[in-house]
Amino acid sequence: MEASLQHTPTWAAAVIFFFAVAVSYILAQSISFAGNWFRSHQKIALYDAIDKLKEELMILGFLSLVLAVVQRPISHICVPAKAADFMLPCRRLHPDPISSAAGYCVDRGMISLVSQQGVHQLHIFIFVLAVVHVLCSVTTMILGRAKMRRWKAWEKETQTTEYHVANDPNRFRLTRETTFAKRHISGATSSSSMYLWIKCFFRQFYDSVNRVDYLTLRHGFIMAHFSRHTTFNFHEYTNRSLEDEFKTVLRISPPLWFLVVIFMLVDIHGWYSYFWLSFAPLIIVLAVGTKLHVIVARMAVKLDREKIVITGAPPVQPNDDFFWFGNPRLILFLLHLAFFQNAFELTFFIWIWYEFGLKSCYHENFGITIARVTLAVVVQFLCSYITLPMYALVTQMGSEVKRSMFGERTKTVLRRWHEDVRVRRKKQHPRRSPPSTVSQLQQEISMQISSST
Protein backbone atom coordinates (compact mmCIF):
# COMPACT_ATOMS: atom_id res chain seq x y z
CA MET A 1 0.00 0.00 0.00
CA GLU A 2 1.37 3.42 -0.93
CA ALA A 3 2.21 5.84 1.88
CA SER A 4 0.13 9.02 2.31
CA LEU A 5 1.54 12.43 3.19
CA GLN A 6 1.15 11.48 6.84
CA HIS A 7 4.08 9.09 6.43
CA THR A 8 6.06 11.01 3.78
CA PRO A 9 9.17 13.03 4.78
CA THR A 10 8.47 16.74 4.82
CA TRP A 11 11.57 17.47 2.70
CA ALA A 12 10.24 15.21 -0.08
CA ALA A 13 6.82 16.87 -0.11
CA ALA A 14 8.40 20.33 0.04
CA VAL A 15 10.77 19.60 -2.87
CA ILE A 16 7.96 18.35 -5.10
CA PHE A 17 5.78 21.31 -4.20
CA PHE A 18 8.63 23.76 -4.88
CA PHE A 19 9.33 22.35 -8.34
CA ALA A 20 5.63 22.31 -9.23
CA VAL A 21 5.30 26.00 -8.31
CA ALA A 22 8.57 26.91 -10.09
CA VAL A 23 7.60 25.20 -13.34
CA SER A 24 4.13 26.78 -13.29
CA TYR A 25 5.59 30.23 -12.60
CA ILE A 26 8.19 29.91 -15.37
CA LEU A 27 5.50 28.84 -17.83
CA ALA A 28 3.26 31.76 -16.87
CA GLN A 29 6.10 34.27 -17.16
CA SER A 30 7.17 32.84 -20.53
CA ILE A 31 3.67 33.28 -21.92
CA SER A 32 3.50 36.81 -20.50
CA PHE A 33 6.90 37.66 -22.01
CA ALA A 34 5.82 36.36 -25.41
CA GLY A 35 2.65 38.45 -25.24
CA ASN A 36 4.54 41.62 -24.33
CA TRP A 37 7.06 41.00 -27.12
CA PHE A 38 4.29 40.60 -29.70
CA ARG A 39 2.60 43.77 -28.48
CA SER A 40 5.82 45.83 -28.53
CA HIS A 41 6.46 44.67 -32.12
CA GLN A 42 2.90 45.55 -33.24
CA LYS A 43 1.91 41.88 -33.59
CA ILE A 44 -1.48 42.56 -32.07
CA ALA A 45 -3.16 39.50 -33.61
CA LEU A 46 -0.52 37.20 -32.11
CA TYR A 47 -0.84 39.07 -28.81
CA ASP A 48 -4.57 38.29 -28.88
CA ALA A 49 -3.69 34.67 -29.68
CA ILE A 50 -1.59 34.59 -26.50
CA ASP A 51 -4.66 35.75 -24.58
CA LYS A 52 -6.62 32.92 -26.17
CA LEU A 53 -3.88 30.51 -25.10
CA LYS A 54 -4.18 31.78 -21.53
CA GLU A 55 -7.93 31.16 -21.67
CA GLU A 56 -7.38 27.61 -22.90
CA LEU A 57 -4.83 26.95 -20.15
CA MET A 58 -7.26 28.33 -17.58
CA ILE A 59 -9.98 26.00 -18.83
CA LEU A 60 -7.52 23.12 -18.82
CA GLY A 61 -6.45 23.97 -15.26
CA PHE A 62 -10.06 24.10 -14.10
CA LEU A 63 -10.78 20.80 -15.84
CA SER A 64 -7.74 19.24 -14.16
CA LEU A 65 -8.90 20.54 -10.78
CA VAL A 66 -12.37 19.08 -11.27
CA LEU A 67 -10.98 15.67 -12.21
CA ALA A 68 -8.59 15.70 -9.25
CA VAL A 69 -11.37 16.59 -6.80
CA VAL A 70 -13.98 14.12 -8.10
CA GLN A 71 -11.54 11.28 -8.74
CA ARG A 72 -12.52 9.37 -5.60
CA PRO A 73 -16.28 10.12 -5.71
CA ILE A 74 -16.40 8.92 -9.34
CA SER A 75 -14.80 5.62 -8.35
CA HIS A 76 -17.64 5.16 -5.81
CA ILE A 77 -20.29 5.36 -8.53
CA CYS A 78 -21.34 1.74 -8.95
CA VAL A 79 -22.87 0.13 -12.04
CA PRO A 80 -23.99 -3.46 -12.75
CA ALA A 81 -21.23 -5.80 -13.86
CA LYS A 82 -23.00 -6.46 -17.16
CA ALA A 83 -22.66 -2.77 -18.08
CA ALA A 84 -18.86 -3.15 -18.16
CA ASP A 85 -18.83 -6.16 -20.50
CA PHE A 86 -19.57 -4.37 -23.78
CA MET A 87 -18.08 -1.43 -25.77
CA LEU A 88 -14.59 -2.21 -24.47
CA PRO A 89 -11.53 -0.70 -26.22
CA CYS A 90 -9.52 -3.87 -25.50
CA ARG A 91 -10.42 -7.53 -25.12
CA ARG A 92 -10.52 -8.42 -21.40
CA LEU A 93 -8.32 -11.50 -20.93
CA HIS A 94 -8.20 -11.46 -17.12
CA PRO A 95 -9.97 -9.49 -14.38
CA ASP A 96 -8.41 -6.20 -13.33
CA PRO A 97 -6.91 -5.96 -9.82
CA ILE A 98 -9.38 -4.67 -7.29
CA SER A 99 -8.42 -1.47 -5.48
CA SER A 100 -9.86 -0.29 -2.18
CA ALA A 101 -12.18 2.09 -4.02
CA ALA A 102 -13.31 -0.64 -6.39
CA GLY A 103 -13.93 -2.88 -3.39
CA TYR A 104 -16.57 -0.39 -2.28
CA CYS A 105 -18.67 -1.42 -5.27
CA VAL A 106 -17.63 -5.09 -5.24
CA ASP A 107 -19.09 -5.44 -1.76
CA ARG A 108 -22.40 -4.35 -3.27
CA GLY A 109 -22.20 -6.83 -6.15
CA MET A 110 -21.32 -4.14 -8.72
CA ILE A 111 -18.24 -2.46 -10.18
CA SER A 112 -16.96 1.13 -10.32
CA LEU A 113 -18.07 3.31 -13.22
CA VAL A 114 -14.45 4.42 -13.65
CA SER A 115 -11.63 3.53 -11.27
CA GLN A 116 -9.39 6.16 -9.69
CA GLN A 117 -6.59 4.99 -11.96
CA GLY A 118 -8.86 5.36 -14.99
CA VAL A 119 -9.80 8.92 -14.01
CA HIS A 120 -6.11 9.75 -13.56
CA GLN A 121 -5.29 8.32 -17.01
CA LEU A 122 -8.13 10.36 -18.50
CA HIS A 123 -6.67 13.40 -16.76
CA ILE A 124 -3.31 12.77 -18.45
CA PHE A 125 -5.02 12.31 -21.83
CA ILE A 126 -6.77 15.70 -21.66
CA PHE A 127 -3.51 17.41 -20.70
CA VAL A 128 -1.59 15.78 -23.58
CA LEU A 129 -4.36 16.67 -26.04
CA ALA A 130 -4.24 20.36 -25.10
CA VAL A 131 -0.43 20.51 -25.29
CA VAL A 132 -0.22 18.67 -28.63
CA HIS A 133 -2.98 20.83 -30.13
CA VAL A 134 -1.12 24.03 -29.20
CA LEU A 135 2.21 22.66 -30.51
CA CYS A 136 0.61 21.54 -33.78
CA SER A 137 -1.05 24.94 -34.21
CA VAL A 138 2.23 26.77 -33.63
CA THR A 139 4.03 24.41 -36.06
CA THR A 140 1.33 25.08 -38.63
CA MET A 141 1.83 28.85 -38.35
CA ILE A 142 5.63 28.56 -38.56
CA LEU A 143 5.57 26.39 -41.70
CA GLY A 144 2.84 28.49 -43.30
CA ARG A 145 4.70 31.75 -42.68
CA ALA A 146 7.91 30.17 -44.01
CA LYS A 147 6.13 29.36 -47.28
CA MET A 148 4.62 32.86 -47.47
CA ARG A 149 7.98 34.53 -46.91
CA ARG A 150 8.90 34.17 -50.56
CA TRP A 151 5.86 36.27 -51.49
CA LYS A 152 7.75 39.27 -50.14
CA ALA A 153 9.92 39.33 -53.28
CA TRP A 154 6.79 39.31 -55.43
CA GLU A 155 5.39 42.23 -53.42
CA LYS A 156 8.57 44.24 -53.97
CA GLU A 157 8.32 43.49 -57.67
CA THR A 158 5.05 45.45 -57.85
CA GLN A 159 6.98 48.66 -57.10
CA THR A 160 9.39 48.24 -60.01
CA THR A 161 9.21 50.04 -63.35
CA GLU A 162 9.14 46.72 -65.22
CA TYR A 163 5.96 45.67 -63.41
CA HIS A 164 4.17 48.93 -64.14
CA VAL A 165 5.18 48.80 -67.81
CA ALA A 166 3.99 45.21 -68.14
CA ASN A 167 0.66 46.14 -66.52
CA ASP A 168 0.16 49.54 -68.12
CA PRO A 169 -3.55 50.45 -67.75
CA ASN A 170 -3.47 51.93 -71.25
CA ARG A 171 -2.29 48.69 -72.81
CA PHE A 172 -4.97 46.55 -74.45
CA ARG A 173 -4.67 42.74 -74.45
CA LEU A 174 -6.85 39.76 -75.20
CA THR A 175 -7.83 38.08 -71.95
CA ARG A 176 -6.57 34.69 -73.12
CA GLU A 177 -3.19 36.13 -73.96
CA THR A 178 -2.44 36.96 -70.33
CA THR A 179 -0.27 34.59 -68.33
CA PHE A 180 -3.04 34.22 -65.74
CA ALA A 181 -5.54 33.06 -68.38
CA LYS A 182 -3.07 30.70 -70.05
CA ARG A 183 -2.41 29.08 -66.66
CA HIS A 184 -6.06 28.45 -65.81
CA ILE A 185 -8.11 28.46 -69.02
CA SER A 186 -8.28 25.68 -71.56
CA GLY A 187 -11.09 24.24 -73.63
CA ALA A 188 -11.65 21.36 -71.21
CA THR A 189 -11.39 23.62 -68.17
CA SER A 190 -14.05 25.97 -69.47
CA SER A 191 -16.52 23.24 -70.42
CA SER A 192 -15.96 20.47 -67.85
CA SER A 193 -16.29 21.00 -64.12
CA MET A 194 -14.96 17.48 -63.48
CA TYR A 195 -11.79 18.16 -65.45
CA LEU A 196 -11.32 21.43 -63.56
CA TRP A 197 -11.54 19.72 -60.16
CA ILE A 198 -9.14 16.93 -61.20
CA LYS A 199 -6.65 19.45 -62.56
CA CYS A 200 -6.83 21.57 -59.41
CA PHE A 201 -6.54 18.50 -57.17
CA PHE A 202 -3.11 17.61 -58.58
CA ARG A 203 -1.99 21.23 -58.92
CA GLN A 204 -2.00 21.74 -55.13
CA PHE A 205 0.89 19.28 -54.78
CA TYR A 206 3.36 20.81 -57.22
CA ASP A 207 2.31 24.43 -57.82
CA SER A 208 0.21 25.57 -54.88
CA VAL A 209 0.89 29.34 -54.96
CA ASN A 210 2.17 30.74 -58.24
CA ARG A 211 3.70 34.20 -58.77
CA VAL A 212 1.14 35.01 -61.47
CA ASP A 213 -1.76 34.05 -59.19
CA TYR A 214 -0.39 36.15 -56.35
CA LEU A 215 0.06 39.26 -58.49
CA THR A 216 -3.35 38.87 -60.14
CA LEU A 217 -5.25 38.34 -56.90
CA ARG A 218 -3.35 41.22 -55.33
CA HIS A 219 -4.39 43.51 -58.19
CA GLY A 220 -8.02 42.38 -57.98
CA PHE A 221 -8.13 42.92 -54.21
CA ILE A 222 -6.66 46.43 -54.43
CA MET A 223 -8.91 47.48 -57.32
CA ALA A 224 -11.99 46.22 -55.45
CA HIS A 225 -11.28 47.91 -52.13
CA PHE A 226 -8.93 50.83 -52.89
CA SER A 227 -9.59 51.71 -56.54
CA ARG A 228 -5.96 52.66 -57.21
CA HIS A 229 -3.66 52.22 -54.23
CA THR A 230 -0.46 50.83 -55.70
CA THR A 231 1.55 51.30 -52.48
CA PHE A 232 -0.64 48.92 -50.47
CA ASN A 233 1.44 46.04 -49.04
CA PHE A 234 -0.72 43.03 -49.80
CA HIS A 235 1.88 40.59 -48.44
CA GLU A 236 1.86 42.27 -45.03
CA TYR A 237 -1.92 42.30 -45.06
CA THR A 238 -2.17 38.55 -45.72
CA ASN A 239 0.29 37.95 -42.88
CA ARG A 240 -1.80 40.02 -40.49
CA SER A 241 -4.93 38.25 -41.67
CA LEU A 242 -3.40 34.85 -40.98
CA GLU A 243 -2.19 35.98 -37.55
CA ASP A 244 -5.69 37.21 -36.75
CA GLU A 245 -7.24 33.87 -37.66
CA PHE A 246 -4.60 31.99 -35.69
CA LYS A 247 -6.69 32.81 -32.61
CA THR A 248 -9.49 30.66 -34.02
CA VAL A 249 -7.18 27.76 -34.84
CA LEU A 250 -5.63 27.85 -31.37
CA ARG A 251 -8.95 27.64 -29.53
CA ILE A 252 -10.47 24.34 -28.46
CA SER A 253 -14.17 25.15 -28.63
CA PRO A 254 -16.95 23.16 -26.87
CA PRO A 255 -17.94 21.42 -30.16
CA LEU A 256 -14.37 20.15 -30.49
CA TRP A 257 -14.39 18.81 -26.92
CA PHE A 258 -17.71 17.12 -27.78
CA LEU A 259 -16.01 15.63 -30.82
CA VAL A 260 -13.42 14.08 -28.49
CA VAL A 261 -16.26 12.53 -26.52
CA ILE A 262 -17.61 10.96 -29.75
CA PHE A 263 -14.16 9.63 -30.67
CA MET A 264 -13.77 8.04 -27.24
CA LEU A 265 -17.24 6.54 -27.45
CA VAL A 266 -16.61 4.72 -30.74
CA ASP A 267 -13.18 3.38 -29.73
CA ILE A 268 -14.52 -0.18 -29.52
CA HIS A 269 -12.40 -3.27 -29.96
CA GLY A 270 -12.71 -4.71 -33.45
CA TRP A 271 -14.17 -1.60 -35.03
CA TYR A 272 -10.79 0.02 -35.92
CA SER A 273 -12.66 3.32 -35.73
CA TYR A 274 -9.52 5.40 -35.15
CA PHE A 275 -7.98 4.00 -38.31
CA TRP A 276 -10.94 5.11 -40.42
CA LEU A 277 -11.24 8.44 -38.61
CA SER A 278 -7.56 9.16 -39.32
CA PHE A 279 -8.47 9.63 -43.01
CA ALA A 280 -10.92 12.45 -42.22
CA PRO A 281 -8.27 15.20 -41.80
CA LEU A 282 -6.59 14.13 -45.04
CA ILE A 283 -9.88 14.21 -46.94
CA ILE A 284 -10.77 17.63 -45.51
CA VAL A 285 -7.37 19.15 -46.30
CA LEU A 286 -7.32 17.78 -49.86
CA ALA A 287 -10.90 18.93 -50.49
CA VAL A 288 -10.17 22.43 -49.17
CA GLY A 289 -6.92 22.68 -51.15
CA THR A 290 -8.67 21.63 -54.34
CA LYS A 291 -11.52 24.08 -53.73
CA LEU A 292 -9.10 26.99 -53.25
CA HIS A 293 -7.48 26.28 -56.61
CA VAL A 294 -10.89 25.86 -58.23
CA ILE A 295 -11.86 29.33 -56.98
CA VAL A 296 -8.84 30.91 -58.69
CA ALA A 297 -9.52 28.97 -61.90
CA ARG A 298 -13.17 30.01 -61.94
CA MET A 299 -12.15 33.63 -61.50
CA ALA A 300 -10.12 33.27 -64.68
CA VAL A 301 -12.98 31.55 -66.51
CA LYS A 302 -15.46 34.23 -65.41
CA LEU A 303 -13.10 36.99 -66.52
CA ASP A 304 -12.68 35.34 -69.93
CA ARG A 305 -16.43 35.08 -70.41
CA GLU A 306 -17.18 38.67 -69.38
CA LYS A 307 -14.24 40.46 -71.00
CA ILE A 308 -12.59 39.45 -74.24
CA VAL A 309 -10.23 42.45 -74.12
CA ILE A 310 -8.72 43.91 -70.95
CA THR A 311 -6.41 46.79 -70.06
CA GLY A 312 -3.50 46.38 -67.65
CA ALA A 313 -3.47 43.45 -65.22
CA PRO A 314 -6.34 40.94 -65.31
CA PRO A 315 -9.15 42.59 -63.26
CA VAL A 316 -10.48 39.63 -61.25
CA GLN A 317 -13.33 40.51 -58.92
CA PRO A 318 -13.64 39.23 -55.31
CA ASN A 319 -16.97 37.56 -54.62
CA ASP A 320 -18.31 35.30 -51.87
CA ASP A 321 -20.19 33.27 -54.47
CA PHE A 322 -16.96 31.46 -55.37
CA PHE A 323 -16.89 29.82 -51.91
CA TRP A 324 -18.98 26.96 -50.53
CA PHE A 325 -22.42 28.30 -49.55
CA GLY A 326 -21.10 31.81 -50.19
CA ASN A 327 -19.20 31.69 -46.88
CA PRO A 328 -15.38 32.04 -46.88
CA ARG A 329 -15.34 31.41 -43.11
CA LEU A 330 -16.51 27.85 -43.73
CA ILE A 331 -13.05 27.00 -45.09
CA LEU A 332 -11.43 28.19 -41.85
CA PHE A 333 -13.86 26.03 -39.87
CA LEU A 334 -12.95 22.96 -41.94
CA LEU A 335 -9.23 23.61 -41.55
CA HIS A 336 -9.68 24.10 -37.80
CA LEU A 337 -11.54 20.79 -37.63
CA ALA A 338 -8.77 19.05 -39.59
CA PHE A 339 -6.08 20.61 -37.37
CA PHE A 340 -7.77 19.44 -34.21
CA GLN A 341 -8.56 15.93 -35.39
CA ASN A 342 -5.00 15.52 -36.60
CA ALA A 343 -3.72 16.69 -33.21
CA PHE A 344 -6.06 14.14 -31.62
CA GLU A 345 -4.46 11.34 -33.67
CA LEU A 346 -0.98 12.31 -32.48
CA THR A 347 -2.23 12.77 -28.92
CA PHE A 348 -3.79 9.34 -28.78
CA PHE A 349 -0.58 7.69 -29.97
CA ILE A 350 1.59 9.59 -27.45
CA TRP A 351 -0.84 8.95 -24.59
CA ILE A 352 -1.11 5.21 -25.26
CA TRP A 353 2.67 4.95 -25.54
CA TYR A 354 3.13 6.81 -22.23
CA GLU A 355 0.40 5.05 -20.23
CA PHE A 356 0.34 1.51 -21.60
CA GLY A 357 3.46 1.05 -23.70
CA LEU A 358 4.04 0.80 -27.42
CA LYS A 359 2.88 -2.85 -27.59
CA SER A 360 -0.37 -2.43 -25.67
CA CYS A 361 -3.74 -3.87 -26.63
CA TYR A 362 -4.56 -0.57 -28.32
CA HIS A 363 -1.82 -1.38 -30.83
CA GLU A 364 -2.72 -4.98 -31.58
CA ASN A 365 -2.21 -4.30 -35.27
CA PHE A 366 1.00 -2.30 -35.15
CA GLY A 367 0.96 -1.76 -38.91
CA ILE A 368 -2.28 0.20 -38.60
CA THR A 369 -0.74 2.28 -35.80
CA ILE A 370 2.28 3.17 -37.95
CA ALA A 371 -0.03 4.05 -40.85
CA ARG A 372 -2.09 6.38 -38.61
CA VAL A 373 0.95 8.21 -37.24
CA THR A 374 2.50 8.53 -40.70
CA LEU A 375 -0.76 9.87 -42.08
CA ALA A 376 -0.99 12.42 -39.26
CA VAL A 377 2.54 13.70 -39.98
CA VAL A 378 1.80 13.95 -43.72
CA VAL A 379 -1.43 15.86 -43.07
CA GLN A 380 0.37 18.23 -40.69
CA PHE A 381 2.95 19.11 -43.35
CA LEU A 382 0.44 19.23 -46.21
CA CYS A 383 -1.93 21.51 -44.35
CA SER A 384 0.80 23.79 -42.95
CA TYR A 385 3.07 24.24 -45.95
CA ILE A 386 0.64 23.90 -48.87
CA THR A 387 -3.01 24.43 -47.94
CA LEU A 388 -2.67 27.18 -45.32
CA PRO A 389 -0.69 29.64 -47.52
CA MET A 390 -3.16 29.09 -50.35
CA TYR A 391 -6.00 29.73 -47.89
CA ALA A 392 -4.37 32.97 -46.70
CA LEU A 393 -4.25 34.21 -50.29
CA VAL A 394 -7.53 33.03 -51.80
CA THR A 395 -9.82 33.90 -48.88
CA GLN A 396 -8.95 37.57 -49.48
CA MET A 397 -11.16 37.21 -52.55
CA GLY A 398 -14.35 37.36 -50.51
CA SER A 399 -16.75 40.26 -50.89
CA GLU A 400 -15.73 41.83 -47.60
CA VAL A 401 -12.33 42.83 -46.25
CA LYS A 402 -11.11 41.29 -43.02
CA ARG A 403 -10.48 43.07 -39.75
CA SER A 404 -6.73 42.77 -40.27
CA MET A 405 -7.09 45.44 -42.97
CA PHE A 406 -7.06 47.92 -40.16
CA GLY A 407 -3.66 47.89 -38.52
CA GLU A 408 -2.91 49.54 -35.21
CA ARG A 409 -2.21 52.91 -36.79
CA THR A 410 -5.54 52.88 -38.58
CA LYS A 411 -7.35 51.94 -35.38
CA THR A 412 -5.52 54.80 -33.68
CA VAL A 413 -6.86 57.20 -36.32
CA LEU A 414 -10.42 56.01 -35.70
CA ARG A 415 -10.06 56.27 -31.93
CA ARG A 416 -8.47 59.74 -32.20
CA TRP A 417 -11.18 60.93 -34.58
CA HIS A 418 -13.92 59.65 -32.27
CA GLU A 419 -12.30 61.20 -29.20
CA ASP A 420 -11.75 64.55 -30.95
CA VAL A 421 -15.38 64.73 -32.03
CA ARG A 422 -16.62 63.80 -28.55
CA VAL A 423 -14.41 66.37 -26.80
CA ARG A 424 -15.22 69.02 -29.38
CA ARG A 425 -18.92 68.61 -28.82
CA LYS A 426 -18.58 68.68 -25.06
CA LYS A 427 -16.14 71.47 -24.41
CA GLN A 428 -16.43 73.48 -27.63
CA HIS A 429 -12.88 74.89 -27.38
CA PRO A 430 -10.37 75.21 -30.23
CA ARG A 431 -8.16 72.21 -30.88
CA ARG A 432 -7.03 70.09 -33.82
CA SER A 433 -9.95 69.83 -36.14
CA PRO A 434 -10.88 66.20 -36.69
CA PRO A 435 -12.07 64.92 -40.02
CA SER A 436 -15.61 66.22 -40.25
CA THR A 437 -16.76 64.13 -43.15
CA VAL A 438 -16.59 60.46 -43.98
CA SER A 439 -14.52 61.17 -47.09
CA GLN A 440 -11.92 63.08 -45.09
CA LEU A 441 -11.75 60.24 -42.57
CA GLN A 442 -11.35 57.69 -45.38
CA GLN A 443 -8.48 59.72 -46.85
CA GLU A 444 -6.69 59.82 -43.50
CA ILE A 445 -7.22 56.10 -42.94
CA SER A 446 -5.94 55.35 -46.43
CA MET A 447 -2.78 57.35 -45.72
CA GLN A 448 -2.25 55.47 -42.43
CA ILE A 449 -2.75 52.09 -44.14
CA SER A 450 -0.19 53.04 -46.74
CA SER A 451 2.37 54.12 -44.13
CA SER A 452 1.79 51.07 -41.93
CA THR A 453 2.27 48.58 -44.72
Side-chain angles (χ1 to χ4, degrees), residues 1-255:
M1 183 176 181
E2 296 182 354
S4 66
L5 284 179
Q6 290 177 317
H7 304 286
T8 301
T10 56
W11 65 265
V15 167
I16 295 300
F17 183 77
F18 170 78
F19 277 104
V21 172
V23 171
S24 300
Y25 184 79
I26 291 173
L27 177 61
Q29 290 300 311
S30 300
I31 294 175
S32 179
F33 174 80
N36 292 333
W37 188 89
F38 285 136
R39 189 166 191 173
S40 64
H41 287 74
Q42 299 298 316
K43 302 290 185 180
I44 303 302
L46 293 180
Y47 174 79
D48 293 340
I50 292 294
D51 281 344
K52 288 292 183 182
L53 176 60
K54 290 179 181 178
E55 292 179 11
E56 296 303 319
L57 291 177
M58 184 179 66
I59 294 174
L60 176 63
F62 183 75
L63 185 58
S64 299
L65 177 62
V66 170
L67 287 176
V69 170
V70 304
Q71 182 172 316
R72 184 176 180 84
I74 287 178
S75 66
H76 284 175
I77 299 177
C78 304
V79 297
K82 291 183 179 180
D85 289 335
F86 70 100
M87 296 182 71
L88 294 173
C90 293
R91 183 184 295 110
R92 180 175 292 173
L93 301 177
H94 52 79
D96 296 328
I98 299 176
S99 63
S100 58
Y104 173 84
C105 293
V106 171
D107 295 340
R108 291 163 175 72
M110 295 185 289
I111 62 173
S112 296
L113 177 64
V114 181
S115 66
Q116 290 191 37
Q117 182 184 12
V119 175
H120 175 71
Q121 291 169 344
L122 183 61
H123 186 181
I124 298 298
F125 170 77
I126 293 173
F127 174 79
V128 175
L129 175 60
V131 172
V132 171
H133 175 67
V134 171
L135 292 179
C136 287
S137 299
V138 172
T139 302
T140 297
M141 278 294 295
I142 292 174
L143 291 177
R145 291 290 295 271
K147 179 68 174 291
M148 294 168 63
R149 194 170 292 122
R150 69 172 183 170
W151 300 358
K152 193 172 184 179
W154 299 342
E155 187 68 33
K156 290 181 179 180
E157 181 184 336
T158 61
Q159 305 304 318
T160 62
T161 303
E162 291 80 2
Y163 174 82
H164 291 291
V165 171
N167 297 277
D168 185 356
N170 296 319
R171 177 188 176 192
F172 290 86
R173 292 184 294 173
L174 293 175
T175 300
R176 293 212 172 194
E177 289 183 355
T178 62
T179 307
F180 180 69
K182 291 178 181 178
R183 171 174 162 79
H184 293 288
I185 299 176
S186 65
T189 301
S190 303
S191 59
S192 174
S193 178
M194 180 63 67
Y195 176 82
L196 176 64
W197 277 85
I198 294 175
K199 178 181 178 181
C200 291
F201 174 80
F202 289 103
R203 173 170 285 172
Q204 65 181 313
F205 299 109
Y206 66 90
D207 196 14
S208 59
V209 179
N210 184 275
R211 168 183 166 276
V212 173
D213 291 345
Y214 176 85
L215 296 178
T216 303
L217 297 186
R218 174 190 181 275
H219 176 74
F221 176 86
I222 292 176
M223 293 300 294
H225 301 294
F226 293 100
S227 182
R228 294 189 182 275
H229 196 313
T230 57
T231 60
F232 180 76
N233 193 324
F234 185 65
H235 174 255
E236 184 65 26
Y237 167 67
T238 55
N239 280 334
R240 286 205 307 263
S241 175
L242 191 61
E243 290 171 358
D244 189 57
E245 290 169 341
F246 180 58
K247 296 180 293 185
T248 302
V249 175
L250 192 63
R251 182 169 179 258
I252 304 179
S253 60

Side-chain angles (χ1 to χ4, degrees), residues 297-412:
R298 284 182 172 168
M299 285 182 178
V301 173
K302 181 181 179 182
L303 179 64
D304 179 60
R305 290 174 178 173
E306 293 180 352
K307 295 185 178 181
I308 299 177
V309 179
I310 62 172
T311 58
V316 294
Q317 296 180 351
N319 197 319
D320 285 347
D321 292 340
F322 290 115
F323 297 87
W324 281 318
F325 304 105
N327 184 10
R329 297 286 298 178
L330 178 60
I331 292 183
L332 180 62
F333 169 77
L334 292 175
L335 287 179
H336 187 195
L337 179 63
F339 289 149
F340 182 78
Q341 190 169 346
N342 200 55
F344 178 85
E345 288 292 328
L346 295 174
T347 297
F348 193 77
F349 173 75
I350 295 172
W351 175 67
I352 293 298
W353 191 356
Y354 173 79
E355 286 288 340
F356 308 103
L358 200 57
K359 295 292 186 178
S360 69
C361 65
Y362 283 95
H363 298 160
E364 284 184 342
N365 192 329
F366 199 67
I368 290 180
T369 301
I370 296 299
R372 286 174 50 199
V373 174
T374 302
L375 196 60
V377 174
V378 170
V379 169
Q380 180 69 31
F381 176 80
L382 180 67
C383 192
S384 304
Y385 198 71
I386 296 179
T387 308
L388 188 66
M390 190 66 182
Y391 162 82
L393 177 63
V394 176
T395 52
Q396 310 306 329
M397 294 295 104
S399 301
E400 300 179 357
V401 297
K402 300 182 180 180
R403 290 188 307 172
S404 51
M405 168 73 75
F406 305 102
E408 281 304 295
R409 294 185 183 181
T410 307
K411 294 176 183 177
T412 301

